[in-house]
Amino acid sequence: MTIVLAFLASFGLSYAGTRLLLARTPPGAFVDVPNARSSHDRPKPRFGGIAIVAAFCTTFAATCIAVPELRAYLPLAGGALLLFAAGLVDDWRGLGVGARLAVQCAAAAIAIAGGTVLDHVTLPMVGTVYLGWVAYPLTLLVFVAGVNFYNFIDGIDGLAAGGAVIAGAFLAAAALMVGQPALAILCALLSASALGFLQFNFPPSRLFMGDGGSTFLGYWFAGLAVAGTRVDPGVPVFVPLLLLSSLYIDASLTIVRRLTHGEPVFQPHRTHYYQRMLQLGFNHKQVTLVEYLIMILLGVSAILYLRAGALFAPFAAAVWLSLFTLAILKIRALERGDRMFWERRTLFLIAADVAAIVAAYLGAYFLRMNFQFTEAEGRAVLRALPIVVVVRSACFFKYGLYRSMWRYTGVADVVRVIKAVTAGSAVILAAVVLLYRFIAFPRTLFLIEFFLLITLVLAARFSTRLFHEIGREPESGTARRYGVIGAGDTGERVMREIRAGGPLRTVACFIDDDPRRIGLAVHGVPVDGPGSKLAEIARRRGLHALVYALSGEDDAVAAAWVGRAREAGIELERAPGAEETRAEPHAIVLDRAARGLGRPAAVLPPRARAALQGRRVLITHGGGRIAPSLLTELYLAGAIPVIHFDGALERERAGLESVGTCSGSLLVDAIGILEAANPDIVIHVATVEPVGGLNDETFAWEHLVRETDAVSRAVLRRAGCRLVIAAMWGGSRAGESPSNTAAVMEALALNRAETDPVAVVRLPRVLGADGILAPRSAASRVGFDLLENEAALIVMQVAAGAFRGIYTPSPCPEIALGAAREAAMHAPAGEPMPSRRAPVAASRVIFAPEHLDECGIDGAQRVLSPLFPVSEELRRAVITATFEDANERDRWRRTAADLVHPRALSGAGQDPPSA
C-alpha cells in the first residue's frame, strides 16, 4: 500500500507541477531555440526537470518518515540535487565541459562517501567477484558514465522521460521480487515523477526536461544499479544494465565513433542512432515508441532472468546483442539507400512467424512449469518442437498468412490467423498422440500455446500497422480539421484517407442526421448532429472544411448539405488523397467548381421557392443538360417534377429516374402528354445548338418550331398552366440557320400566348458536372459561360414568377472547362481559380435591334426584342400560318430568314446598340 500511495503522490505532484510550469512564461534563457542540430522545429521551454525533481524530492522526504529504510539513500539524494542545480545553471547560462565533469565527480564522491560503492559483481556462470580497491574508481566511472549516457539520449521528445518510466517500473518489480520494498519504493518514485512529466513531453512535446532533469535521472539510475548490489538479497547489476542497454549502447557507440573520428565528445550533434532514424524519414512517435517497445522487452528479459536463474543471462545477452547489431547494420544500410526489407518480404514474414511459433511453444511450457526446466517434460517438449514448427508453418502458408501486408491488418486477417492456429493445433495434437501417446507432455501445454501463439502473431501484425499509423496524429493548432458528413461505411473510408495524409490533417467529427448515431464515435471520432446545427458544430469543433461521405449519389440530399454549408460559412471539399475518379453528387462538384472559380453561390430566392412548393412541373426531353440540377432544385423547393422522355435512348443518356415519367412524342401527342402529367408548369427544353448531327436543318425545324408550337398550343388550352422554354443556344451565333429557326420558335410561342405566362430563357454554353469530371481532352480548351445549377435556377425563377418575354443570364466571366475541372478537383480552399480567358458577354443578344434590361430575376436580364411583340407583317406571315403541311417547309425557311432580317423588324434603320 505504501508503494502505491507514494507512486500516486509523486505522479500527481509531477503532473500538477508541469502544468504550473507551462502556465508561466519561461525566461528567455530557458527557451530552447531550434538550430541545425535540433530535432524540434519550434522554440520550447526546457525547465520541465523542475517538476520531476520537486515531485520526487517532496514524496521521497515524506516517505522517509514512514519507511526509515529509505534514509540510507539520502547521500544519493544529495548528489542528485547537486547535479540538478548544475544542470539548471547549464540550461540557463551554459557550463563548460570541465565544470560539468567536476560537478559529476563531486556528486559521485558524495554517493561513495555515503557507502554506495560497487565493491563486488555477480557474474553469470562465474559467481561473485570482489573488486577491492578498484571498486572506488569503477564506481566513479559508473556514475559519470550513467549521468552522461542518460543526458545524451535526451535528444527527442519523450525518450528520456519514457525510458525513466519503464526502467523505474521494471526495477521496482525486480526489487519486490527479491524482497527489497524500500528499493522498490525509490524506483517507483522515479517512475511516477517521470510519468507525470511525460504527459507533456510525449511527441509532439510542449516542453523539455533540460539537462537538470536528465542528469538527475541518469545519476539515480547509476546509483540504483550500484545500491542494488549491496542489499541482501540484492538486485544484480546485470538487471539495470540490461534494462537500459538500448540507450547505453547507442550512447557508447556514438562516443566511440566520435573519438575515432577525432570529434569532441560533448559537442552537440545529430549522430545518435535514434536521431539518424529521424533523418531517414521516421517520425518522433515512431522512434520513441520503438525505443519503448525495446525497453519493455528488455524489462521482461530482466524479470525472466531473476526467475529463470543465471543460465538465462548469457542467453539473453547474446540474443539482445545480436538484435542490436542487426538493427545498427540495417540503419546504416538504409542510409546507403537500401530497402527496409526484402522486395517481397516473404523471408522476413516466415522468419518472424517461425520465431513466434517457437516462442509461443516454449513460452507455454515455461509458463506451465513455473519457469522450471524438468528432465522428462523438457525432453518431450523439445522432441516435438520440429513437428510444431513444420505443421504451424504449413498451416500458415495454407491460410495465406505469408501473402498478407501487415500494415493493412484487419478483421479478415484476424480470422485467418485463428483458422490457421486452430487447424495447426488439431494436427499437432493428433501427431503427438499418435507418435508419443501424449506421454510426459503437460496436459494444458497446447491450450496455453494456442492462445499465446494467436496473441504473438496478431501482436506482430497489428504492431506493424500501428507503427505505420503513429505519428500521423495532428499537432494541436496546426492541423486542418475536417468534418465528415455521414457516419457510415463511406465516412469511415474517408476518415482513413484524410488521416493517411499525415499530422497536418485530422477528422474532428462526423456529422449525421440519424439520431441513432449522434453521440456515438467512429474510431474514437465523435458523431455530431443533426445537420441543421452545422454552424454551431463547426464553431464548437473548430472545423476548417467539410467532406461529403453519404452513400449513394442523391443530388437533392447533397444540395441540401451544400446549402447548409453555405449558411454555416464552411466549405465542402473533396477528401484529401481521394481518387479523382470517385463519383460525387453533381451538386457537390458544381459547388466546388463555383467556389474555385470565384463565382457567387447559386441559391433559389425564398419567394421563388414558396411559389414552386407543391406545384407539378413537367420537364420535357429529360431536362437536357441541366436535368440533374433542375430536378435537385425542384425537389428542394417542394415541387413535384414529372419528366418526359422521347424514348429509352434519351432516358439512358440522361441517367435519371423520376417520380413520374411521361413517354412519347411531343409533336404527335402534346395534349395527351399534358393531360397525363396534369402539370401546373411546363419547362420545355429545346436544343438550338447542333448536337451530334441531330439538329440538321430539317430536324431543327421539326424540333424547335413545330414541336414547340404544339407544346405552346397544348399549354394555352390549360387554364393557369405556365410555359417556360429553356432554349439551349449553346455557341450558336446570329445569322446561322439554328439561330434563325430559334427566332421563329420564340416569336410563335410568345406572340400566340397573348397575356398568358409564357417565357423563353436563352441559355448559353452550360457546364455540367459531367463535363467537369470528364477525362482531359481537347474539350478542355472549350469555354463555357454558365454552370449547370446556375442555369437551372434562372429557369426556375422565370417559371415561379409567371414572367413573359425573353430572358438570358447576365454577362459573366467565361469559364474554361479545364479551369473548372482544376477548381473542382484541386483548387486550394478559399482561393478562387482565375478564368483562363478574358470575360465575354454570356448573354444571347442575337439580333442587332435587341438590347438588355434589368428584371426581378437574380442573375438574369430581360431581352427587349422586336420578336416580342412581333410586327404586324410578321404576325400575319408567321403566327396565322399552319405547320401541318410538309410541302410548305421551304416557305417557312424563307419566313425564318425574313424574320431576322433588319428590314422585316420593327425599328429597322436604327443604329444597333452594342451587346
Side-chain angles (χ1 to χ4, degrees):
M1 179 58 71
T2 303
I3 190 172
V4 174
L5 294 176
F7 181 90
L8 294 177
S10 184
F11 169 77
L13 288 173
S14 177
Y15 183 84
T18 308
R19 291 191 65 90
L20 183 62
L21 288 173
L22 286 172
R24 296 178 59 86
T25 302
F30 282 103
V31 175
D32 194 334
V33 179
N35 52 44
R37 298 182 303 271
S38 301
S39 298
H40 58 291
D41 55 3
R42 287 178 296 177
K44 296 180 183 180
R46 55 184 176 190
F47 54 19
I50 297 174
I52 297 175
V53 175
F56 176 85
C57 291
T58 302
T59 316
F60 175 74
T63 312
C64 281
I65 301 173
V67 185
E69 292 85 353
L70 281 177
R71 299 170 190 172
Y73 300 99
L74 285 174
L76 281 177
L81 285 175
L82 176 61
L83 270 179
F84 169 67
L88 278 183
V89 175
D90 191 21
D91 292 329
W92 177 40
R93 301 185 60 179
L95 285 176
V97 175
R100 280 182 284 171
L101 281 176
V103 173
Q104 292 167 11
C105 291
I110 293 174
I112 294 172
T116 306
V117 180
L118 187 63
D119 57 356
H120 68 276
V121 178
T122 302
L123 298 177
M125 298 186 299
V126 175
T128 302
V129 178
Y130 292 93
L131 302 175
W133 64 270
V134 180
Y136 296 99
L138 182 60
T139 304
L140 180 66
L141 179 62
V142 168
F143 273 102
V144 173
V147 168
N148 286 288
F149 282 6
Y150 211 87
N151 188 31
F152 289 160
I153 59 96
D154 185 25
I156 61 172
D157 297 344
L159 184 55
V165 172
I166 297 170
F170 276 104
L171 279 176
L176 289 176
M177 290 176 62
V178 298
Q180 295 295 334
L183 187 61
I185 291 174
L186 196 59
C187 297
L189 291 180
L190 276 176
S191 180
S193 301
L195 182 61
F197 169 79
L198 182 60
Q199 314 295 313
F200 310 95
N201 185 241
F202 190 77
S205 67
R206 298 170 61 183
L207 81 169
F208 302 140
M209 67 172 64
D211 286 348
S214 60
T215 55
F216 180 86
L217 293 174
Y219 180 86
W220 267 112
F221 282 119
L224 292 175
V226 176
T229 63
R230 297 184 62 82
V231 294
D232 188 20
V235 177
V237 72
F238 177 78
V239 171
L241 289 179
L242 181 62
L243 274 169
L244 296 167
S245 59
S246 64
L247 307 180
Y248 288 169
I249 288 176
D250 187 343
S252 59
L253 289 178
T254 303
I255 290 175
V256 171
R257 183 174 61 254
R258 291 178 68 82
L259 287 175
T260 55
H261 287 79
E263 300 173 358
V265 174
F266 293 96
Q267 180 181 341
H269 57 89
R270 297 191 65 184
T271 57
H272 287 287
Y273 283 99
Y274 64 82
Q275 293 172 324
R276 292 161 70 177
M277 290 177 67
L278 291 176
Q279 297 169 32
L280 286 170
F282 298 98
N283 58 60
H284 279 234
K285 281 190 177 178
Q286 288 176 326
V287 176
T288 301
L289 290 178
V290 166
E291 291 283 359
Y292 288 177
L293 177 62
I294 292 173
M295 291 191 69
I296 290 172
L297 295 176
L298 287 167
V300 172
S301 299
I303 298 300
L304 290 177
Y305 164 68
L306 293 177
R307 294 295 302 269
L311 289 177
F312 183 79
F315 169 75
V319 169
W320 281 110
L321 284 175
S322 300
L323 292 176
F324 287 152
T325 302
L326 290 175
I328 291 170
L329 292 176
K330 176 51 68 176
I331 291 174
R332 293 180 178 178
L334 290 174
E335 291 174 332
R336 293 193 299 268
D338 198 2
R339 296 178 179 270
M340 187 69 181
F341 303 109
W342 289 281
E343 185 68 26
R344 291 182 61 86
R345 302 186 302 166
T346 305
L347 293 177
F348 171 79
L349 298 180
I350 294 174
D353 283 340
V354 168
I357 292 168
V358 174
Y361 183 65
L362 297 180
Y365 166 73
F366 281 108
L367 286 174
R368 173 63 182 81
M369 305 306 294
N370 197 21
F371 294 96
Q372 300 296 322
F373 184 85
T374 58
E375 187 70 22
E377 290 85 354
R379 290 184 178 277
V381 167
L382 292 176
R383 189 167 57 243
L385 179 59
I387 298 175
V388 172
V389 172
V390 172
V391 172
R392 291 290 190 200
S393 300
C395 290
F396 283 9
F397 179 81
K398 168 66 177 177
Y399 285 92
L401 269 62
Y402 299 138
R403 295 190 298 271
S404 62
M405 298 179 68
W406 288 15
R407 66 180 300 178
Y408 301 115
T409 300
V411 175
D413 298 287
V414 174
V415 173
R416 282 198 295 269
V417 169
I418 294 175
K419 288 181 177 179
V421 175
T422 304
S425 295
V427 175
I428 291 170
L429 280 174
V432 169
V433 170
L434 291 174
L435 296 176
Y436 307 114
R437 299 291 189 269
F438 216 83
I439 297 174
F441 285 91
R443 295 186 178 181
T444 58
L445 170 67
F446 293 103
L447 181 63
I448 299 174
E449 186 258 359
F450 174 82
F451 291 105
L452 193 58
L453 181 58
I454 291 177
T455 302
L456 291 177
V457 172
L458 291 180
R461 282 154 173 78
F462 277 105
S463 62
T464 304
R465 176 174 175 176
L466 177 64
F467 179 78
H468 285 89
E469 292 181 356
I470 58 177
R472 295 178 176 174
E473 299 83 356
E475 296 187 12
S476 177
T478 62
R480 186 168 179 81
R481 299 172 63 83
Y482 290 89
V484 177
I485 300 173
D489 293 339
T490 306
E492 191 268 344
R493 288 194 296 271
V494 167
M495 181 190 68
R496 285 192 276 111
E497 289 172 351
I498 294 175
R499 285 182 168 179
L504 296 181
R505 302 170 184 165
T506 183
V507 176
C509 67
F510 289 89
I511 306 167
D512 206 297
D513 284 328
D514 190 345
R516 296 171 298 180
R517 294 176 175 174
I518 297 173
L520 302 178
V522 179
H523 297 308
V525 178
V527 180
D528 279 337
S532 57
K533 298 182 179 179
L534 181 59
E536 175 189 344
I537 295 171
R539 183 175 58 257
R540 176 162 39 89
R541 299 290 183 185
L543 300 182
H544 297 106
L546 297 173
V547 176
Y548 187 81
L550 290 175
S551 58
E553 298 181 40
D554 192 331
D555 268 302
V557 176
W561 280 102
V562 169
R564 291 170 174 175
R566 289 279 189 177
E567 293 175 2
I570 189 168
E571 298 180 355
L572 269 164
E573 297 182 2
R574 192 178 186 88
E579 301 174 359
E580 292 189 6
T581 56
R582 174 179 293 175
E584 284 187 299
H586 286 189
I588 303 290
V589 176
L590 292 171
D591 175 71
R592 189 180 305 122
R595 286 188 289 103
L597 293 162
R599 300 175 74 91
V603 180
L604 186 66
R607 182 174 56 186
R609 189 180 301 275
L612 290 171
Q613 188 171 9
R615 299 299 185 97
R616 292 180 64 83
V617 182
L618 173 63
I619 306 170
T620 66
H621 296 302
R625 65 187 61 181
I626 65 171
S629 293
L630 189 59
L631 282 175
T632 296
E633 296 297 336
L634 285 172
Y635 283 130
L636 291 176
I640 306 171
V642 182
I643 310 177
H644 160 271
F645 291 105
D646 287 335
L649 178 60
E650 190 176 15
R651 185 183 296 109
E652 180 181 348
R653 284 179 178 175
L656 300 172
E657 295 183 2
S658 60
V659 175
T661 302
C662 298
S663 299
S665 171
L666 280 170
L667 185 60
V668 174
D669 192 13
I671 296 177
I673 291 173
L674 263 67
E675 288 179 351
N678 191 27
D680 300 302
I681 301 171
V682 175
I683 298 177
H684 174 55
V685 179
T687 303
V688 177
E689 183 180 33
V691 179
L694 293 180
N695 264 18
D696 58 15
E697 192 170 345
T698 302
F699 181 86
W701 186 263
E702 295 292 324
H703 167 63
L704 293 176
V705 179
R706 296 192 64 208
E707 185 181 83
T708 302
D709 184 63
V711 172
S712 62
R713 288 171 185 264
V715 171
L716 293 175
R717 288 190 178 97
R718 299 179 58 83
C721 189
R722 310 173 190 172
L723 174 63
V724 177
I725 301 172
M728 303 292 181
W729 282 75
S732 298
R733 299 178 180 273
E736 298 175 347
S737 177
S739 303
N740 296 339
T741 308
V744 176
M745 173 195 70
E746 294 175 351
L748 280 172
L750 292 170
N751 290 280
R752 191 187 299 281
E754 298 295 338
T755 60
D756 292 286
V758 175
V760 176
V761 180
R762 294 176 178 174
L763 294 176
R765 296 165 297 185
V766 176
L767 175 62
D770 292 335
I772 295 173
L773 299 176
R776 296 179 181 274
S777 64
S780 63
R781 297 190 295 270
V782 179
F784 286 81
D785 305 301
L786 206 63
L787 293 177
E788 172 194 307
N789 55 339
E790 298 170 340
L793 288 176
I794 292 174
V795 172
M796 289 175 62
Q797 289 183 77
V798 173
F803 291 98
R804 299 182 70 228
I806 303 173
Y807 299 87
T808 188
S810 301
C812 57
E814 183 181 25
I815 303 174
L817 177 60
R821 181 184 293 113
E822 292 293 332
M825 293 296 183
H826 306 298
E831 297 183 13
M833 174 75 70
S835 175
R836 294 185 180 179
R837 299 189 180 186
V840 299
S843 311
R844 289 295 166 240
V845 178
I846 299 299
F847 310 111
E850 294 180 342
H851 63 277
L852 298 176
D853 193 15
E854 298 298 326
C855 62
I857 302 174
D858 293 341
Q861 291 177 296
R862 185 173 181 177
V863 180
L864 300 180
S865 172
L867 297 176
F868 172 70
V870 74
S871 67
E872 186 63 27
E873 178 183 355
L874 289 180
R875 181 186 297 274
R876 288 195 303 270
V878 178
I879 304 303
T880 60
T882 175
F883 294 89
E884 302 297 330
D885 190 352
N887 294 327
E888 297 189 1
R889 285 176 183 165
D890 289 338
R891 173 189 172 188
W892 298 118
R893 291 194 189 97
R894 291 193 300 273
T895 302
D898 293 338
L899 187 63
V900 297
H901 197 279
R903 290 178 302 171
L905 294 172
S906 59
Q910 301 178 6
D911 294 332
S914 60

